[in-house]
Short mmCIF file of all heavy atoms in Angstrom, two decimals:
data_model
loop_
_atom_site.label_atom_id
_atom_site.label_comp_id
_atom_site.label_asym_id
_atom_site.label_seq_id
_atom_site.Cartn_x
_atom_site.Cartn_y
_atom_site.Cartn_z
N GLY A 27 0.80 -1.16 -0.02
CA GLY A 27 0.02 -0.01 -0.01
C GLY A 27 0.83 1.20 0.00
O GLY A 27 2.03 1.23 0.41
N ARG A 28 0.18 2.30 -0.45
CA ARG A 28 0.89 3.66 -0.54
C ARG A 28 2.22 3.58 -1.36
O ARG A 28 3.20 4.24 -1.05
CB ARG A 28 1.09 4.23 0.83
CG ARG A 28 -0.22 4.47 1.61
CD ARG A 28 0.00 5.01 2.90
NE ARG A 28 0.37 6.49 2.81
CZ ARG A 28 0.78 7.21 3.83
NH1 ARG A 28 0.93 6.72 5.04
NH2 ARG A 28 1.21 8.47 3.62
N ASN A 29 2.08 2.78 -2.47
CA ASN A 29 3.19 2.67 -3.41
C ASN A 29 2.66 3.18 -4.76
O ASN A 29 1.93 2.40 -5.38
CB ASN A 29 3.65 1.20 -3.50
CG ASN A 29 4.76 0.81 -2.54
OD1 ASN A 29 5.86 0.49 -2.83
ND2 ASN A 29 4.39 0.94 -1.20
N LYS A 30 2.89 4.35 -5.07
CA LYS A 30 2.29 5.03 -6.22
C LYS A 30 3.31 5.08 -7.41
O LYS A 30 4.41 5.54 -7.22
CB LYS A 30 1.87 6.47 -5.91
CG LYS A 30 1.25 7.22 -7.06
CD LYS A 30 0.86 8.65 -6.68
CE LYS A 30 0.24 9.43 -7.75
NZ LYS A 30 -0.11 10.78 -7.38
N VAL A 31 2.90 4.46 -8.52
CA VAL A 31 3.76 4.43 -9.71
C VAL A 31 3.70 5.78 -10.33
O VAL A 31 2.66 6.31 -10.67
CB VAL A 31 3.33 3.34 -10.67
CG1 VAL A 31 4.12 3.39 -11.95
CG2 VAL A 31 3.36 1.97 -10.02
N THR A 32 4.89 6.36 -10.51
CA THR A 32 5.04 7.70 -11.03
C THR A 32 5.85 7.79 -12.36
O THR A 32 5.99 8.82 -12.90
CB THR A 32 5.64 8.71 -10.02
OG1 THR A 32 6.93 8.18 -9.58
CG2 THR A 32 4.81 8.90 -8.82
N GLY A 33 6.39 6.66 -12.73
CA GLY A 33 7.20 6.60 -13.98
C GLY A 33 7.20 5.16 -14.49
O GLY A 33 7.29 4.18 -13.77
N VAL A 34 7.14 5.08 -15.80
CA VAL A 34 7.19 3.80 -16.52
C VAL A 34 8.03 3.93 -17.75
O VAL A 34 7.81 4.88 -18.61
CB VAL A 34 5.76 3.35 -17.02
CG1 VAL A 34 5.83 2.04 -17.79
CG2 VAL A 34 4.80 3.21 -15.81
N THR A 35 9.02 3.09 -17.79
CA THR A 35 9.79 2.88 -19.09
C THR A 35 9.87 1.43 -19.39
O THR A 35 9.67 0.61 -18.57
CB THR A 35 11.20 3.53 -19.01
OG1 THR A 35 11.82 2.81 -17.94
CG2 THR A 35 11.18 5.01 -18.72
N ARG A 36 10.08 1.11 -20.66
CA ARG A 36 10.10 -0.32 -21.05
C ARG A 36 10.99 -0.56 -22.19
O ARG A 36 11.32 0.35 -23.04
CB ARG A 36 8.67 -0.74 -21.39
CG ARG A 36 8.02 0.00 -22.52
CD ARG A 36 6.55 -0.22 -22.58
NE ARG A 36 5.89 0.65 -23.53
CZ ARG A 36 5.54 0.19 -24.82
NH1 ARG A 36 5.79 -1.03 -25.21
NH2 ARG A 36 4.99 1.09 -25.66
N ASP A 37 11.42 -1.85 -22.33
CA ASP A 37 12.16 -2.28 -23.51
C ASP A 37 11.63 -3.67 -23.93
O ASP A 37 10.64 -4.04 -23.35
CB ASP A 37 13.66 -2.29 -23.28
CG ASP A 37 14.00 -3.05 -21.97
OD1 ASP A 37 13.41 -4.11 -21.78
OD2 ASP A 37 14.91 -2.70 -21.25
N ASP A 38 12.35 -4.32 -24.77
CA ASP A 38 11.76 -5.67 -25.24
C ASP A 38 11.78 -6.68 -24.16
O ASP A 38 11.07 -7.76 -24.36
CB ASP A 38 12.59 -6.12 -26.44
CG ASP A 38 12.42 -5.21 -27.66
OD1 ASP A 38 11.43 -4.51 -27.64
OD2 ASP A 38 13.31 -5.25 -28.51
N SER A 39 12.56 -6.55 -23.11
CA SER A 39 12.67 -7.67 -22.10
C SER A 39 12.15 -7.30 -20.70
O SER A 39 12.00 -8.21 -19.87
CB SER A 39 14.16 -8.00 -21.96
OG SER A 39 14.93 -6.98 -21.56
N SER A 40 11.79 -6.01 -20.40
CA SER A 40 11.32 -5.70 -19.14
C SER A 40 10.66 -4.40 -19.08
O SER A 40 10.59 -3.62 -20.07
CB SER A 40 12.54 -5.64 -18.13
OG SER A 40 13.38 -4.52 -18.46
N VAL A 41 10.06 -4.10 -17.91
CA VAL A 41 9.38 -2.74 -17.65
C VAL A 41 10.09 -2.24 -16.45
O VAL A 41 10.24 -3.00 -15.37
CB VAL A 41 7.92 -2.97 -17.39
CG1 VAL A 41 7.22 -1.56 -17.23
CG2 VAL A 41 7.30 -3.76 -18.58
N GLN A 42 10.36 -0.93 -16.44
CA GLN A 42 10.96 -0.29 -15.24
C GLN A 42 10.03 0.70 -14.73
O GLN A 42 9.35 1.53 -15.38
CB GLN A 42 12.25 0.47 -15.67
CG GLN A 42 13.34 -0.38 -16.35
CD GLN A 42 13.08 -0.63 -17.84
OE1 GLN A 42 12.71 0.29 -18.54
NE2 GLN A 42 13.21 -1.89 -18.30
N LEU A 43 9.83 0.64 -13.39
CA LEU A 43 8.88 1.53 -12.69
C LEU A 43 9.55 2.38 -11.64
O LEU A 43 10.45 1.86 -10.89
CB LEU A 43 7.88 0.59 -11.91
CG LEU A 43 7.00 -0.33 -12.73
CD1 LEU A 43 6.07 -1.16 -11.77
CD2 LEU A 43 6.25 0.30 -13.81
N THR A 44 9.11 3.64 -11.52
CA THR A 44 9.49 4.54 -10.46
C THR A 44 8.27 4.49 -9.49
O THR A 44 7.16 4.80 -9.91
CB THR A 44 9.84 5.88 -10.95
OG1 THR A 44 10.86 5.95 -11.83
CG2 THR A 44 10.19 6.79 -9.78
N VAL A 45 8.50 4.28 -8.22
CA VAL A 45 7.46 4.10 -7.32
C VAL A 45 7.69 5.10 -6.08
O VAL A 45 8.67 5.11 -5.45
CB VAL A 45 7.37 2.61 -6.73
CG1 VAL A 45 6.20 2.49 -5.83
CG2 VAL A 45 7.25 1.68 -7.84
N GLU A 46 6.65 5.94 -5.88
CA GLU A 46 6.72 6.93 -4.71
C GLU A 46 6.07 6.33 -3.51
O GLU A 46 5.01 5.66 -3.58
CB GLU A 46 6.01 8.15 -5.17
CG GLU A 46 6.13 9.39 -4.21
CD GLU A 46 7.58 9.83 -4.08
OE1 GLU A 46 8.23 10.02 -5.18
OE2 GLU A 46 8.10 9.95 -2.95
N THR A 47 6.79 6.50 -2.35
CA THR A 47 6.25 5.98 -1.09
C THR A 47 6.40 7.13 -0.03
O THR A 47 7.05 8.09 -0.29
CB THR A 47 7.09 4.73 -0.64
OG1 THR A 47 8.31 5.20 -0.14
CG2 THR A 47 7.19 3.82 -1.72
N PRO A 48 5.82 6.89 1.20
CA PRO A 48 6.11 7.81 2.25
C PRO A 48 7.57 7.94 2.62
O PRO A 48 7.95 9.09 3.25
CB PRO A 48 5.25 7.20 3.45
CG PRO A 48 4.21 6.47 2.79
CD PRO A 48 4.79 5.86 1.60
N ASP A 49 8.33 7.04 2.28
CA ASP A 49 9.83 7.17 2.55
C ASP A 49 10.56 7.62 1.37
O ASP A 49 11.86 7.60 1.32
CB ASP A 49 10.39 5.74 2.93
CG ASP A 49 9.91 5.42 4.29
OD1 ASP A 49 9.74 6.26 5.16
OD2 ASP A 49 9.79 4.21 4.66
N GLY A 50 9.88 8.00 0.34
CA GLY A 50 10.60 8.52 -0.89
C GLY A 50 10.53 7.50 -2.10
O GLY A 50 9.90 6.44 -1.84
N PRO A 51 10.99 7.83 -3.16
CA PRO A 51 10.90 6.97 -4.38
C PRO A 51 11.90 5.76 -4.40
O PRO A 51 13.01 5.87 -3.75
CB PRO A 51 11.16 7.95 -5.54
CG PRO A 51 12.09 8.92 -4.98
CD PRO A 51 11.77 9.07 -3.54
#
């Protein structure tokens, strides 16, 4: 909980996520 996705990048083999939390990203 309280893990907010704020960034998404992707390539052919994976997806990269930036996740914001009460302790920072």
Side-chain angles (χ1 to χ4, degrees):
R28 300 182 69 189
N29 274 240
K30 181 179 180 179
V31 176
T32 56
V34 179
T35 58
R36 59 195 173 98
D37 53 38
D38 291 340
S39 62
S40 67
V41 184
Q42 302 81 44
L43 302 179
T44 302
V45 184
E46 187 65 48
T47 76
D49 289 332

